[in-house]
Amino acid sequence: MFDNLSYKLDRAFKTLKGTGKITEINVATTVKEIRRALIDADVNYKVAKEVTDTIKSEALGRDVLISVSPGQLLVKITQEELTKLMGGTKEDINLKGDPNVILISGLQGSGKTTFSGKLATHLKKQGRQVLLVACDIYRPAAIEQLKTLGEQIGVEVYAEPENKNALDIASKAIAYAKKNGKKNVIVDTAGRLAVDEQMMNEISDLKENLDPAETLFVVDSMTGQDAVNTAKTFDERLDFDGVVLTKLDGDTRGGAAISIRHVVDKPIKFISTGEKMENLDVFYPDRMAQRILG
Ligand code: GDP
């Protein structure tokens, strides 16, 4: 994860590490290299500029010039600022309501169905009763995919393959959950290859009518700046509660993880790092910053 970014950041700090006496110019050069590394990793330009300006003023304010190990101090400051940028502290998903409804949104292929299965597994491990709902009314294969996942993880899946009304399916599923003691209902929805009006209407209609405790936006981290732009578009219509970043195990450059919180002002709540059901992690900004800095 983020190998290239970690390598470039490490290289940026190298000039300061082991240097006894440093100057303001040394710090400025290193900070410039950090900025370039972030931009190369697909971090939004404005975000990269803001965070590196802060790192620089923090460094000079904290007497990095007279510190015994200026390189280490700068790494520490960078870590702190990246942590803040990604939200500071971990944020849990909301679990309330009877039943507690969790709506999953995102583009097709982003990893919604896979994540729905992972979240069901995660909640089941906590001893919770879960019902998965197949609301992708356009792709019969998606319904089958969810059913297969459900069987694999031992979680019941509610589906009505002949019904083409997502809201109707979800409403019936919620009634079914109430009757059968399933306190948590995960609604997997349809996605398109690009944002379109019909898709937006459908998902915002589901949100308005189902009144979910948590609406999550799932996005493929490999799509870099597009991930951030799509998140912004979805948030403007949906006002979602949190982001799920998928495919962080792949050759992702890391920009989405670093920028999304700042640009959209919604927390990342989970990260997905593989196709297997256990490849799901709760997102901790400090741990992520630590990983980025190697
Ligand atoms: P959906 O169309 O949004 O429901 O997306 P899917 O859940 O069907 O996922 C699309 C593809 O991405 C599938 O082949 C998944 O196995 C794969 N996938 C999902 N999440 C991850 C992940 O975190 N890492 C990797 N490597 N693949 C993933």
Side-chain angles (χ1 to χ4, degrees):
M1 197 194 288
F2 311 157
D3 286 352
N4 207 19
L5 173 61
S6 301
Y7 169 76
K8 284 186 184 160
L9 288 175
D10 188 47
R11 207 176 50 190
F13 292 120
K14 273 229 162 78
T15 34
L16 287 190
K17 280 183 181 160
T19 314
K21 173 128 181 55
I22 59 158
T23 65
E24 211 166 302
I25 295 171
N26 294 141
V27 174
T29 309
T30 305
V31 167
K32 216 183 240 172
E33 276 182 52
I34 298 173
R35 184 180 303 173
R36 199 169 304 136
L38 291 173
I39 291 168
D40 284 351
D42 246 351
V43 173
N44 172 297
Y45 175 80
K46 233 177 106 217
V47 177
K49 181 166 177 355
E50 270 177 49
V51 73
T52 46
D53 283 348
T54 312
I55 291 170
K56 190 169 159 192
S57 61
E58 275 291 307
L60 297 175
R62 280 204 235 166
D63 291 338
V64 79
L65 298 182
I66 51 167
S67 127
V68 271
S69 48
Q72 265 159 20
L73 183 56
L74 201 61
V75 171
K76 189 167 172 280
I77 291 169
T78 305
Q79 195 169 316
E80 286 167 6
E81 293 309 319
L82 285 180
T83 302
K84 271 193 231 161
L85 188 63
M86 290 187 284
T89 47
K90 136 185 118 111
E91 289 202 32
D92 291 323
I93 54 167
N94 296 299
L95 296 173
K96 54 172 192 276
D98 188 17
N100 156 50
V101 177
I102 304 170
L103 185 65
I104 312 296
S105 68
L107 294 180
Q108 186 179 316
S110 57
K112 284 185 305 300
T113 304
T114 310
F115 170 72
S116 298
K118 288 178 178 180
L119 183 61
T121 308
H122 177 80
L123 295 175
K124 194 179 163 206
K125 267 192 206 150
Q126 296 173 342
R128 300 176 196 274
Q129 290 289 330
V130 186
L131 180 69
L132 279 163
V133 186
C135 274
D136 189 342
I137 49 176
Y138 305 103
R139 290 194 313 134
I143 300 175
E144 282 312 309
Q145 187 187 346
L146 197 64
K147 279 188 177 165
T148 310
L149 273 181
E151 266 167 38
Q152 190 189 324
I153 60 179
V155 169
E156 193 177 348
V157 175
Y158 187 95
E160 294 188 18
E162 304 305 322
N163 191 343
K164 295 290 171 214
N165 182 333
L167 181 57
D168 187 48
I169 301 170
S171 307
K172 286 185 185 152
I174 290 169
Y176 177 86
K178 265 190 191 160
K179 221 162 121 191
N180 291 279
K182 308 276 186 193
K183 294 270 185 216
N184 300 276
V185 178
I186 301 173
V187 182
D188 183 22
T189 64
R192 306 288 159 80
L193 290 174
V195 176
D196 68 48
E197 205 41 38
Q198 195 192 345
M199 171 200 193
M200 280 303 183
N201 285 339
E202 188 176 288
I203 188 82
S204 48
D205 204 32
L206 280 171
K207 179 165 183 219
E208 230 164 80
N209 287 285
L210 301 179
D211 192 23
E214 179 82 24
T215 301
L216 290 170
F217 170 69
V218 179
V219 68
D220 178 346
S221 64
M222 308 268 283
T223 58
Q225 297 223 18
D226 271 352
V228 181
N229 296 334
T230 314
K232 217 167 163 214
T233 309
F234 266 77
D235 192 49
E236 277 157 13
R237 286 293 294 272
L238 263 194
D239 188 21
F240 54 68
D241 303 297
V243 176
V244 178
L245 263 189
T246 62
K247 309 187 192 180
L248 276 168
D249 51 311
D251 194 17
T252 178
R253 289 191 277 179
I258 298 169
S259 311
I260 236 166
R261 171 65 194 250
H262 191 69
V263 176
V264 185
D265 198 24
K266 290 290 162 70
I268 299 174
K269 295 197 172 174
F270 290 101
I271 54 173
S272 162
T273 53
E275 295 181 87
K276 296 203 183 92
M277 287 297 104
E278 59 270 25
N279 297 140
L280 182 73
D281 289 312
V282 170
F283 181 74
Y284 288 86
D286 54 344
R287 289 186 200 169
M288 183 58 83
Q290 222 162 14
R291 251 163 127 161
I292 290 169
L293 289 168

